[in-house]
């Protein structure tokens, strides 16, 4: 598109296939001609709002910055959609060199890369900030870090090295105790007592393994399923703080010793939903016209109403009522009842039943 920030894609073919491979937060597309010709590779980063959508070519979504049209009739288009334009693509098949092993597809290499580099200065930071460092946690994003830390009851602003050194000691002790564990037994132990690095693999796998695409915001059912899957992120009752990079982290309990100074944790309140089964209270004509602010105040007594004089905005209506030549019968009855109530409140006796 005219506003897309990515480079031009120098590829031309009457018929070609698209295949995809992912690694952490990157996706590589390969465009291969049906027949002869060299394939072309593109590596995408999605930013905060990037995604791919397949839709009719005549109904392109907004912010479709790159489009691959099908040869069918009517044609469809595979679009890279990015409303905020934080995402990008580049030519070539190389992954970014500063990203570590993928938490999904290269779990064992990911785990070893973290535990053997605990002296790196990245682990001097709070664990919530370190989890977003793609050099070590390639694939973990903002909502995933909150979910992972919540399940293990780890304060988000605990020092990362303090949290992870304990895992290193546990792993060494486990190997000494059970040097010949089979893969199935290792998986069973992981499921029964997962540690932080194991949850960095299994929690995103829950999203991928779901029957629906939980992260598709345009599908109401999918987004509702995603919200029900969340246990911490954006969940009412949870607290939140901004880390030193300006990203909001959600948690429960104490934030930890490295929490930013000068911030007070904010709690997300539950949004009250209307209950269709609830009885609707009766509202008088006067009360229904009150402003929301006035409705919160206790009503004045009849005596206070009289001594206070006419309210602002009501004078014209009252003058019209006074200027009327004669009261109709119903109005006379209402006036008589009002007088009886006022007399009762002034201590002249109880008002008779009407």
């Amino acid at each position: 598109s005219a506003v897309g920030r990515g480079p031009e894609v120098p590829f031309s073919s009457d018929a070609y296939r698209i295949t995809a491979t992912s690694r952490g937060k990157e996706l590589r597309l390969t465009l291969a001609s049906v027949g002869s010709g060299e394939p072309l590779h593109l590596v995408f980063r999605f930013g905060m709002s990037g995604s791919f959508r397949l839709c009719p070519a005549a109904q392109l979504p907004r912010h479709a910055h790159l489009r691959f049209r099908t040869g069918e009739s009517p044609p469809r288009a595979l679009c890279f959609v990015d409303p905020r334009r934080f995402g990008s693509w580049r030519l070539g098949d190389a992954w970014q060199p500063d990203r570590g092993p993928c938490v999904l597809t290269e779990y064992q290499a990911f785990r070893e890369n973290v535990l053997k580099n605990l002296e790196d200065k990245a682990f001097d930071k709070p664990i919530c900030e370190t989890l977003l460092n793609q050099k070590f946690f390639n694939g973990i994003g903002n909502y995933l870090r909150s979910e992972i830390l919540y399940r293990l009851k780890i304060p988000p602003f605990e020092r990362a090295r303090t949290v992870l050194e304990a895992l290193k000691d546990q792993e060494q002790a486990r190997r000494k105790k059970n040097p010949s564990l089979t893969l199935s037994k290792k998986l069973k132990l992981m499921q029964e007592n997962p540690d932080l690095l194991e949850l960095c693999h299994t929690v995103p796998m829950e999203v991928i393994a779901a029957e629906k695409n939980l992260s598709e915001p345009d599908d109401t059912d999918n987004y509702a399923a995603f919200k029900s899957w969340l246990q911490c992120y954006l969940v009412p009752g949870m607290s939140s703080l901004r880390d030193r990079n300006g990203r909001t982290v959600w948690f429960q309990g104490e934030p930890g010793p490295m929490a930013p100074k000068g911030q007070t944790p904010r709690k997300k309140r539950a949004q009250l939903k209307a209950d269709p089964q609830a009885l609707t209270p009766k509202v008088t004509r006067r009360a229904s016209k009150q402003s929301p602010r006035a409705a919160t105040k206790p009503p004045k007594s009849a005596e206070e109403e009289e001594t206070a004089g006419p309210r602002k905005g009501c004078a014209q209506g009252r003058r019209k009522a006074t200027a009327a030549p004669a009261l109709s019968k119903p109005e006379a009855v209402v006036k008589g009842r009002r007088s009886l109530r006022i007399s009762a409140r002034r201590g002249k006796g109880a008002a008779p039943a009407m």
Side-chain angles (χ1 to χ4, degrees):
S1 69
V3 295
R5 294 179 178 176
E8 293 290 332
V9 181
F11 183 80
S12 178
S13 177
D14 293 333
Y16 61 96
R17 291 190 178 92
I18 301 179
T19 55
T21 308
S22 65
R23 184 176 186 265
K25 286 195 170 186
E26 293 182 292
L27 182 78
R28 182 170 61 210
L29 291 189
T30 300
L31 313 181
S33 295
V34 178
S36 60
E38 290 294 321
L40 179 74
H41 303 282
L42 302 169
V43 176
F44 288 80
R45 294 174 62 186
F46 292 90
M48 293 180 68
S49 60
S51 65
F52 275 97
R53 301 183 196 176
L54 184 64
C55 57
Q59 300 174 10
L60 294 178
R62 294 184 62 190
H63 313 290
H65 299 308
L66 193 61
R67 306 136 189 184
F68 303 94
R69 295 179 183 270
T70 66
E72 60 192 334
S73 182
R76 291 183 293 170
L78 178 67
C79 305
F80 177 64
V81 182
D82 186 14
R84 298 189 181 185
R85 293 193 294 171
F86 292 160
S88 63
W89 66 86
R90 64 182 186 279
L91 303 176
D93 63 348
W95 304 113
Q96 274 192 317
D98 57 345
R99 290 178 177 258
C102 176
V103 297
L104 290 172
T105 60
E106 304 166 294
Y107 170 70
Q108 199 56 45
F110 148 72
R111 186 180 184 91
E112 292 173 0
N113 184 47
V114 171
L115 294 180
K116 75 180 182 182
N117 288 294
L118 290 181
E119 297 303 318
D120 192 282
K121 62 181 181 180
F123 298 97
D124 291 331
K125 297 180 179 181
I127 185 63
C128 66
E129 295 178 13
T130 304
L131 282 173
L132 296 185
N133 188 330
Q134 302 300 295
K135 181 179 178 181
F136 297 103
F137 294 90
N138 186 13
I140 300 300
N142 198 28
Y143 81 89
L144 286 172
R145 68 169 176 175
S146 297
E147 294 298 312
I148 291 166
L149 294 174
Y150 168 77
R151 295 191 186 191
L152 293 173
K153 308 304 180 202
I154 296 175
F157 292 95
E158 182 63 72
R159 189 181 299 275
R161 187 177 292 108
T162 303
V163 175
L164 294 166
E165 278 183 341
L167 301 188
K168 192 174 183 180
D169 296 338
Q170 290 173 11
E171 187 160 290
Q172 290 175 350
R174 187 187 297 175
R175 286 179 179 177
K176 289 180 180 178
K177 187 176 180 180
N178 301 302
S180 58
L181 278 178
T182 62
L183 179 60
S184 60
K185 289 183 178 179
K186 287 181 180 179
L187 291 174
K188 186 177 180 181
L189 283 174
M190 180 190 299
Q191 293 170 355
E192 292 174 351
N193 301 292
D195 60 34
L196 185 139
L197 297 180
E198 288 164 347
L199 285 183
C200 286
H201 173 74
T202 57
V203 172
M205 283 296 293
E206 289 179 14
V207 182
I208 292 174
E211 292 183 3
K212 292 185 176 182
N213 180 12
L214 296 181
S215 59
E216 176 54 68
D218 287 347
D219 189 316
T220 305
D221 292 337
N222 288 347
Y223 188 62
F226 176 66
K227 286 185 70 175
S228 66
W229 174 83
L230 293 170
Q231 298 180 29
C232 178
Y233 183 77
L234 294 177
V235 172
M238 298 296 164
S239 302
S240 66
L241 279 174
R242 288 187 178 273
D243 63 20
R244 290 169 180 81
N245 298 317
R247 304 291 299 276
T248 301
V249 60
W250 298 81
F251 61 94
Q252 186 179 53
E254 294 298 320
M258 300 183 73
K261 305 297 182 184
Q263 284 194 57
T264 303
R266 299 175 59 186
K267 278 203 172 185
K268 183 173 176 61
R269 297 179 180 179
Q271 294 182 349
L272 296 177
K273 296 182 179 180
D275 184 4
Q277 303 294 332
L279 295 175
T280 305
K282 293 183 179 180
V283 182
T284 63
R285 186 170 180 268
R286 174 178 289 182
S288 65
K289 291 184 178 180
Q290 288 182 338
S291 65
R293 191 173 182 179
T296 59
K297 296 181 180 180
K300 292 183 179 181
S301 66
E303 185 174 0
E304 290 172 333
E305 288 280 4
E306 283 193 346
T307 57
R311 293 194 302 271
K312 185 177 180 181
C314 297
Q316 185 176 0
R318 289 189 176 183
R319 280 198 298 270
K320 287 182 179 179
T322 306
L327 290 173
S328 63
K329 187 174 182 180
E331 289 174 336
V333 173
V334 171
K335 186 174 181 180
R337 290 180 178 178
R338 186 179 299 167
S339 300
L340 287 171
R341 286 198 297 270
I342 295 172
S343 299
R345 287 172 183 167
R346 287 180 178 174
K348 293 182 180 180
M354 295 293 177

